[in-house]
Amino acid sequence: MLHVIPLGGLGEIGLNAMVIACRGEMLLIDCGLMFPPIGTLGVDIILPDFRYLRQNASLLKGILLTHGHEDHVGALPFLLNEVPVPVYGTRFTLGLVRHRLHELGVDADLREIEPRNPFPVGAHFKVEATRVTHTVPDAVGYVVHTPEGPVIHTGDFKLDPDPIDGLRTDLERWGELGEQGVLCLLSDSTNSERTHETGSERLVEQTFERLFHDVRGRIVVSMFASHLHRIHHVLDLARKLERKVVTMGRSLIRNIEMARELGFLPSVTDGLFVPLEDAASLPPERLLVLATGSQAEPRAGLSQLAAGDGPLRLGPGDLVVLSARAIPGNERAVSGLIDQLLWRGARVVYPDLEPGVHVSGHASQPQQRRVLDLIRPKNFVPIHGELHHLHRHLATAKESGLSPEQLLLAQDGDLLVFEEGRGRFSGSVPTGRIYQDRFGQGVVTPDILQERTRIAETGILVAVLVIERASLSLLAGPQLSGQGLNLDEQVLLPRVAEDARAFFLEMSPQLRGDDARVREELAKAVRRAFKLYTSKRPVVVPMVLKV
Amino acid sequence: MLHVIPLGGLGEIGLNAMVIACRGEMLLIDCGLMFPPIGTLGVDIILPDFRYLRQNASLLKGILLTHGHEDHVGALPFLLNEVPVPVYGTRFTLGLVRHRLHELGVDADLREIEPRNPFPVGAHFKVEATRVTHTVPDAVGYVVHTPEGPVIHTGDFKLDPDPIDGLRTDLERWGELGEQGVLCLLSDSTNSERTHETGSERLVEQTFERLFHDVRGRIVVSMFASHLHRIHHVLDLARKLERKVVTMGRSLIRNIEMARELGFLPSVTDGLFVPLEDAASLPPERLLVLATGSQAEPRAGLSQLAAGDGPLRLGPGDLVVLSARAIPGNERAVSGLIDQLLWRGARVVYPDLEPGVHVSGHASQPQQRRVLDLIRPKNFVPIHGELHHLHRHLATAKESGLSPEQLLLAQDGDLLVFEEGRGRFSGSVPTGRIYQDRFGQGVVTPDILQERTRIAETGILVAVLVIERASLSLLAGPQLSGQGLNLDEQVLLPRVAEDARAFFLEMSPQLRGDDARVREELAKAVRRAFKLYTSKRPVVVPMVLKV
């Protein structure tokens, strides 16, 4: 009997974490985080609730990483802090992870693995990585050979006939396994709604070559800092065009450094780069800037250039390429960034204007179908997506000829059981989302978020009263202090304080002795007085001090 | 000499407001608002800064409305409050406006006009409305005949060869004017980046007919409440399919009522509708629900259905159609809504899955080109769009053969001067954005927004100290109260208060007499004490009371 238990990633983009368990042993594939939507105040990261893994810590034999993106590895330091187990991944993935673990002071047993090179995890799993093409180097999926049969986990993948690094998704191996019989396929659903084939990275290469060719000014390219294939290609182009390269953005600088150390940027030499300080003195046609900030992150390289901060000033003749799509929720900010760059006089090229400046890293509907047709698994579980992505991927599997009992639409926390080649649902395990700041500190609950939102929307009004302990007479106050109030409201405060004063004088001596009651009445009085002048209802914080 | 002065809408989607001025007289075309991005805390609407119109109130002779969408008419009540002038618009547009003015208690001189029927505004303008097709009935553009020549303002328009109401964009009239010579074309840029022709509303009609045909359960359709063409068609389909209609959403109910009164829904009878309370008792295959909430607005009809609130419970067999695209910034919320509906078991169809359930209301690149080729204006100013939309529209005009001196890329506040057939820039007028709540009350400044964001992200910590006035000795405190702190931080407060106490005892008597200084030192001490335990830095509000 085999268990497959998604702890995250089936119902959202991010939080990817999949448990596979058999005969008292577990392994976990990926350990990702999620970035909160705009407006989740003071929350920097969202982690999966790992209660289930903590409760079963002794059974967990290892963590397999598919690739180094935050939505697949970002929660790892926080889990390892509580459940230290070996972590398996390819060289580049471990390179990215090592840095982050170091930053957070977490020790780990990192074990480098290679595609098509099987290794045991625990006593009952034989694991084998399978090369896949994605937007970060050295990405893999996994085949977990279990006593019930092989399970294929695709990781995030695309089908690119001619990837920059020549490393194609290993369809051959998936095909072989398909012929031998695959118990269950867990496959990436991100692009399940897209009906056009996801294009090759070569398209971006060609578009860049065409765009860069006759630029007389500076060239600025912004992309995700982990997209080393594309970075590699831009660096090669810079060399050919005899442009020096400035890198803006800490993650970009670190990733290029690491990639070079690990041998992922063979053609790149030190002489190619110049520091930002020297960039302004170079002739514009001799400069190429690689910058983070394609999502309009406030402090990233591209935002600095747009704001005109720093030594480099963009202007007419310069070309800026946004080589990434806006992540859902960032559209408005990215639009604003484009406008700022245009306002400086630069030419700005972005996917809506020139689709070839970016291609996705995920297989689309017809390509997902091809993988299903190739493997023909006994059971299929769509993974990595919001519910509507999973639904659409399931429909594709149905179109490929799988029967309803082979299709398992699981969500986070569902416990799937596989026995004698068939899968079924069997209850659930605890799961959820933990909201934290970027250090993984300070749990924020939905109640706290609601309190923060109320404060932020209406402002806050602190009312303080000082009472003589013995006589219970009013010594001072109410004194009011407002934060986040609008201009009309701020000028009201002295009047509101005056109006609110009467309540205490009207309270009977017994009631005045009841602190909670005094606070309550103070808040009421302030709210009432405030309401006389305005329709807004700020949060009132009553404080009573006795001396 | 003619002035064209955009006060809003050239640099953003929304705030549309265009001044045309000549010989000491002005008219304003549209008077729109904008909805703030998510995270603009406590701000419900953004209005154009109308300082320039207030300063020139006596010169303003009238306001022309192109159509009834909020980004074209939403700021009208606030402007009329200060500058009461006649308002011109078509019947349906004025119907929408009248309601809103009434709600806010604003009187207005509303004057109904008809396309191709010229009327004077002031002594020097002859104005003529031109029929355009858009997503709300009775939309028009304007031709303003001025002493310097005719100016064409397209309003928001699309080119639909076969619109539902049969009323096509009046290309014939634009063509005539083009032959006679048009001084300046002001044309809608919203879809300037889309290279595919914007489709006909008939596509949606056909898609609905196909989708609705074999549904055995309930049919729910969600769209913008002002899209009366589409609503009309859905109501007709309901009649044909012998389904009763429930309307959810106040704006939808109001608009249908008004449209019927004004004769815009001729085939609709009272018998078609049933109240929501009776809907649950109807057989599912006899029911169609029209609901607001396609943007996942929290209290709208569709959100209620998704949450399972109210008498209607959706489930397997039911079809939900989201007949609108997510507005930039709403994507994540709309995705979540779709997932909630899927989770209830309903089939959910939305534009990403089935493009035919929605078409845009704006002409795209090739159609914008067609209008440029037809009119061949002496000068061209792209309007209605963010800077990148205007840029791309300008490029299209260039491709259509206009020369650089005919292309005027104006932004909000620019003052354009036209003389002897040619346009040029001549400085600027004051403009900007005013942030307000939905009643148009309470001006919120960028500083206040920043304060609110800081409070909301980190929480707030109030510290109160009570001092004896005569002796300047400490009577009570520091007492701390936290709002929006995280769980770890809340438990720290007693310790922080204890640690922070020492600062006052260490202050010299002279300093203790300086209130501002005491407050400052109190805040510092609390921050310092807090920092010993956590890396967060909440906003500290120090208060000192003397008794």
Side-chain angles (χ1 to χ4, degrees):
Chain A
M1 195 160 73
L2 180 77
H3 289 174
V4 171
I5 311 165
L7 296 180
L10 279 71
E12 62 265 303
I13 300 284
L15 299 183
N16 296 299
M18 176 70 77
V19 172
I20 296 184
C22 192
R23 299 192 185 168
E25 289 185 341
M26 284 181 182
L27 57 79
L28 178 69
I29 304 182
D30 283 339
C31 191
L33 57 72
M34 182 160 94
F35 295 105
I38 294 170
T40 314
L41 298 159
V43 174
D44 301 306
I45 56 174
I46 303 175
L47 303 174
D49 183 340
F50 285 128
R51 219 179 323 164
Y52 180 71
L53 291 177
R54 280 198 302 272
Q55 284 160 1
N56 295 284
S58 66
L59 311 184
L60 187 65
K61 300 304 169 194
I63 301 174
L64 314 175
L65 303 178
T66 59
H67 63 285
H69 284 155
E70 291 288 325
D71 53 336
H72 293 261
V73 304
L76 189 64
F78 309 107
L79 177 62
L80 288 180
N81 250 339
E82 302 182 297
V83 186
V85 294
V87 177
Y88 302 85
T90 55
R91 179 182 293 189
F92 192 80
T93 303
L94 293 186
L96 285 169
V97 160
R98 192 172 285 120
H99 175 84
R100 184 75 177 133
L101 289 168
H102 180 77
E103 231 177 25
L104 290 169
V106 177
D107 283 326
D109 173 5
L110 302 181
R111 303 186 182 181
E112 191 177 317
I113 51 114
E114 282 183 355
R116 288 206 174 211
N117 217 343
F119 54 96
V121 176
H124 302 296
F125 299 113
K126 198 182 75 184
V127 177
E128 165 191 356
T130 317
R131 176 71 64 199
V132 296
T133 310
H134 189 43
T135 51
V136 61
D138 231 6
V140 296
Y142 285 99
V143 187
V144 182
H145 298 276
T146 78
E148 296 285 336
V151 174
I152 294 182
H153 185 293
T154 62
D156 281 353
F157 78 100
K158 68 183 286 186
L159 301 183
D160 189 334
D162 185 19
I164 303 279
D165 62 2
L167 297 170
R168 281 198 294 265
T169 294
D170 193 352
L171 293 175
E172 201 185 343
R173 184 66 188 128
W174 282 349
E176 271 173 34
L177 288 160
E179 274 174 34
Q180 294 158 21
V182 167
L183 175 65
C184 183
L185 169 65
L186 310 165
S187 181
D188 176 15
S189 309
T190 313
N191 274 356
S192 66
E193 291 172 353
R194 298 214 191 150
T195 50
H196 289 90
E197 302 243 332
T198 300
S200 166
E201 183 67 20
R202 292 290 169 194
L203 176 64
V204 179
E205 197 171 60
Q206 288 155 13
T207 307
F208 282 3
E209 277 172 35
R210 177 166 51 77
L211 285 174
F212 293 2
H213 195 262
D214 51 359
V215 178
R216 279 158 221 265
R218 301 177 184 96
I219 297 175
V220 179
V221 189
S222 184
M223 58 180 73
F224 285 108
S226 60
H227 205 324
L228 265 295
H229 297 137
R230 201 169 289 171
I231 291 167
H232 190 177
H233 168 239
V234 172
L235 294 176
D236 276 354
L237 263 180
R239 199 162 37 88
K240 276 190 223 162
L241 297 168
E242 294 175 29
R243 287 177 181 259
K244 294 289 182 188
V245 175
V246 165
T247 43
M248 291 179 74
R250 275 194 312 153
S251 53
L252 194 62
I253 294 167
R254 195 177 62 226
N255 287 356
I256 290 177
E257 209 168 278
M258 189 198 71
R260 290 182 66 191
E261 274 169 26
L262 299 180
F264 282 86
L265 294 172
S267 61
V268 174
T269 58
D270 285 341
L272 187 60
F273 298 96
V274 291
L276 178 59
E277 303 79 66
D278 300 353
S281 58
L282 274 178
E285 73 276 14
R286 296 272 73 86
L287 185 66
L288 185 146
V289 181
L290 260 181
T292 54
S294 61
Q295 297 303 312
E297 301 91 334
R299 277 171 296 273
L302 199 54
S303 294
Q304 278 179 41
L305 291 172
D309 295 343
L312 263 185
R313 300 293 164 118
L314 296 182
D318 294 339
L319 170 73
V320 180
V321 178
L322 268 86
S323 181
R325 285 229 158 254
I327 288 173
N330 293 353
E331 289 85 353
R332 246 175 123 146
V334 172
S335 261
L337 177 71
I338 291 170
D339 278 9
Q340 257 189 306
L341 291 161
L342 283 171
W343 185 83
R344 301 210 155 264
R347 180 174 171 214
V348 187
V349 178
Y350 44 96
D352 275 343
L353 204 64
E354 178 78 55
V357 295
H358 176 69
V359 297
S360 167
H362 300 270
S364 64
Q365 209 175 97
Q367 296 161 328
Q368 291 169 342
R369 169 74 186 267
R370 213 172 308 151
V371 169
L372 282 155
D373 287 346
L374 178 73
I375 299 179
R376 304 217 57 77
K378 293 181 190 153
N379 298 280
F380 171 63
V381 180
I383 61 171
H384 300 175
E386 297 176 355
L387 188 52
H388 57 106
H389 299 119
L390 307 179
H391 260 269
R392 180 53 246 192
H393 201 177
L394 210 74
T396 301
K398 205 173 158 194
E399 288 158 18
S400 93
L402 294 191
S403 63
E405 60 273 20
Q406 294 178 290
L407 304 176
L408 299 162
L409 185 80
Q411 289 187 263
D412 296 346
D414 280 339
L415 197 158
L416 291 171
V417 174
F418 292 86
E419 241 174 341
E420 294 169 6
R422 301 189 60 166
R424 61 183 160 84
F425 287 88
S426 177
S428 63
V429 309
T431 184
R433 299 176 182 186
I434 308 288
Y435 288 38
Q436 296 201 303
D437 70 21
R438 87 199 103 115
F439 310 105
Q441 285 180 348
V443 172
V444 177
T445 64
D447 282 355
I448 294 173
L449 274 180
Q450 208 169 10
E451 186 175 87
R452 287 184 184 174
T453 306
R454 267 216 68 193
I455 296 172
E457 285 182 349
T458 61
I460 193 168
L461 197 51
V462 183
V464 185
L465 212 62
V466 183
I467 301 176
E468 219 257 340
R469 195 182 303 273
S471 66
L472 295 177
S473 61
L474 183 63
L475 288 180
Q479 185 166 314
L480 299 184
S481 169
Q483 295 285 314
L485 301 181
N486 69 39
L487 294 180
D488 302 349
E489 290 161 355
Q490 282 167 17
V491 299
L492 290 176
L493 295 191
R495 256 190 292 171
V496 171
E498 193 53 44
D499 291 357
R501 203 178 148 86
F503 94 95
F504 187 77
L505 308 175
E506 288 160 9
M507 281 182 94
S508 66
Q510 307 96 288
L511 289 181
R512 287 184 187 184
D514 179 349
D515 282 7
R517 184 64 185 268
V518 174
R519 272 200 301 275
E520 191 183 310
E521 293 296 326
L522 169 61
K524 264 196 226 166
V526 169
R527 262 185 232 117
R528 207 162 39 223
F530 200 78
K531 222 182 146 180
L532 288 179
Y533 304 102
T534 164
S535 53
K536 272 279 184 62
R537 300 182 54 171
V539 173
V540 175
V541 180
M543 294 177 74
V544 175
L545 282 84
K546 282 190 175 151
V547 299
Chain B
M1 195 160 73
L2 180 78
H3 289 176
V4 170
I5 311 164
L7 295 180
L10 278 71
E12 62 267 303
I13 300 283
L15 300 184
N16 297 300
M18 177 69 76
V19 172
I20 296 186
C22 194
R23 301 193 184 168
E25 291 185 338
M26 285 182 182
L27 58 78
L28 178 70
I29 304 181
D30 283 340
C31 189
L33 57 71
M34 183 160 94
F35 295 106
I38 294 170
T40 314
L41 297 159
V43 174
D44 301 307
I45 57 174
I46 303 176
L47 302 175
D49 183 339
F50 284 128
R51 221 178 323 161
Y52 180 70
L53 291 178
R54 279 198 302 272
Q55 285 161 0
N56 295 284
S58 64
L59 311 184
L60 187 64
K61 300 305 169 194
I63 302 173
L64 314 175
L65 303 179
T66 61
H67 62 285
H69 284 155
E70 291 287 325
D71 51 338
H72 293 260
V73 304
L76 189 63
F78 308 107
L79 178 61
L80 287 180
N81 250 338
E82 301 183 297
V83 186
V85 294
V87 177
Y88 301 85
T90 55
R91 178 181 292 189
F92 192 80
T93 303
L94 293 186
L96 285 169
V97 162
R98 192 171 285 120
H99 175 85
R100 185 72 178 134
L101 288 169
H102 180 76
E103 231 177 27
L104 290 169
V106 177
D107 283 326
D109 172 6
L110 302 182
R111 303 185 182 180
E112 192 177 318
I113 51 113
E114 282 184 355
R116 286 203 174 214
N117 217 342
F119 55 96
V121 177
H124 302 296
F125 299 114
K126 197 182 75 183
V127 177
E128 163 191 356
T130 316
R131 176 71 65 200
V132 296
T133 309
H134 189 44
T135 51
V136 61
D138 230 5
V140 296
Y142 285 99
V143 187
V144 182
H145 297 277
T146 79
E148 296 285 336
V151 174
I152 295 182
H153 184 294
T154 63
D156 280 355
F157 77 99
K158 68 182 286 186
L159 301 183
D160 189 334
D162 185 19
I164 303 279
D165 61 4
L167 297 171
R168 282 197 295 265
T169 295
D170 193 352
L171 292 177
E172 202 185 342
R173 184 68 187 126
W174 283 349
E176 271 172 33
L177 289 160
E179 275 174 35
Q180 294 158 21
V182 167
L183 175 65
C184 182
L185 169 65
L186 310 165
S187 181
D188 176 15
S189 310
T190 313
N191 275 356
S192 66
E193 292 172 353
R194 299 215 190 149
T195 51
H196 289 91
E197 302 243 331
T198 300
S200 166
E201 183 68 21
R202 294 289 170 194
L203 176 64
V204 179
E205 196 171 62
Q206 288 154 15
T207 308
F208 281 3
E209 276 172 36
R210 177 167 52 76
L211 285 173
F212 293 1
H213 194 260
D214 51 359
V215 178
R216 279 159 222 264
R218 301 176 186 95
I219 296 174
V220 179
V221 188
S222 184
M223 59 180 74
F224 285 108
S226 61
H227 205 322
L228 264 295
H229 297 138
R230 202 170 286 171
I231 291 168
H232 190 179
H233 169 238
V234 172
L235 294 176
D236 275 353
L237 263 180
R239 199 161 38 87
K240 277 190 221 160
L241 297 168
E242 295 175 27
R243 287 177 182 259
K244 294 289 183 188
V245 174
V246 164
T247 44
M248 291 179 76
R250 275 194 312 153
S251 54
L252 195 62
I253 293 168
R254 195 177 62 225
N255 287 356
I256 291 177
E257 210 169 276
M258 189 197 72
R260 290 183 66 193
E261 275 170 26
L262 299 181
F264 282 85
L265 294 172
S267 61
V268 173
T269 58
D270 284 342
L272 187 60
F273 298 97
V274 292
L276 179 59
E277 303 79 67
D278 300 352
S281 59
L282 275 178
E285 72 277 13
R286 295 273 72 88
L287 185 65
L288 185 146
V289 181
L290 260 182
T292 54
S294 61
Q295 298 302 313
E297 300 92 335
R299 277 171 296 273
L302 199 56
S303 294
Q304 278 179 43
L305 291 171
D309 294 343
L312 262 185
R313 301 294 165 117
L314 297 181
D318 296 338
L319 170 73
V320 180
V321 179
L322 269 85
S323 180
R325 284 232 159 252
I327 289 174
N330 293 353
E331 290 84 354
R332 246 176 124 144
V334 172
S335 262
L337 177 71
I338 292 170
D339 278 9
Q340 256 190 307
L341 291 162
L342 284 170
W343 185 84
R344 302 213 155 260
R347 181 177 170 214
V348 186
V349 178
Y350 44 97
D352 274 344
L353 205 62
E354 179 78 53
V357 296
H358 176 68
V359 296
S360 167
H362 300 270
S364 64
Q365 208 176 98
Q367 296 161 327
Q368 291 170 341
R369 169 74 187 267
R370 212 172 308 152
V371 169
L372 282 156
D373 288 346
L374 179 72
I375 299 180
R376 303 216 59 74
K378 292 181 191 155
N379 298 280
F380 172 62
V381 180
I383 61 171
H384 301 175
E386 297 175 355
L387 188 52
H388 56 105
H389 299 118
L390 306 180
H391 260 270
R392 182 51 246 191
H393 200 178
L394 209 74
T396 300
K398 205 174 158 195
E399 287 159 19
S400 92
L402 294 192
S403 63
E405 59 273 21
Q406 294 178 290
L407 304 175
L408 299 163
L409 186 79
Q411 289 188 263
D412 297 345
D414 281 337
L415 197 158
L416 291 172
V417 174
F418 293 86
E419 241 173 340
E420 294 169 7
R422 300 189 62 164
R424 60 184 161 84
F425 288 88
S426 175
S428 63
V429 308
T431 184
R433 300 177 181 185
I434 308 289
Y435 289 39
Q436 296 202 301
D437 70 19
R438 86 197 101 114
F439 310 105
Q441 287 180 346
V443 173
V444 178
T445 63
D447 281 355
I448 294 173
L449 275 180
Q450 208 170 11
E451 186 176 87
R452 286 185 185 174
T453 305
R454 268 217 66 193
I455 297 172
E457 283 181 350
T458 61
I460 193 168
L461 197 52
V462 182
V464 185
L465 212 63
V466 183
I467 301 176
E468 220 255 341
R469 195 181 300 274
S471 67
L472 294 177
S473 62
L474 184 63
L475 288 180
Q479 185 165 315
L480 298 183
S481 169
Q483 295 285 313
L485 300 181
N486 69 39
L487 294 179
D488 301 350
E489 290 161 354
Q490 282 167 16
V491 299
L492 290 176
L493 295 192
R495 256 190 293 169
V496 171
E498 193 54 43
D499 291 356
R501 202 179 148 85
F503 93 95
F504 187 77
L505 308 176
E506 288 160 9
M507 282 181 94
S508 67
Q510 306 98 289
L511 289 180
R512 287 185 189 183
D514 180 348
D515 283 8
R517 184 64 184 268
V518 174
R519 272 199 301 276
E520 191 184 308
E521 293 294 326
L522 170 60
K524 265 196 223 164
V526 169
R527 265 186 229 117
R528 207 162 40 224
F530 200 78
K531 222 182 148 182
L532 289 178
Y533 304 104
T534 164
S535 54
K536 272 279 185 61
R537 300 182 55 172
V539 174
V540 175
V541 179
M543 293 177 74
V544 175
L545 283 84
K546 282 192 176 152
V547 298

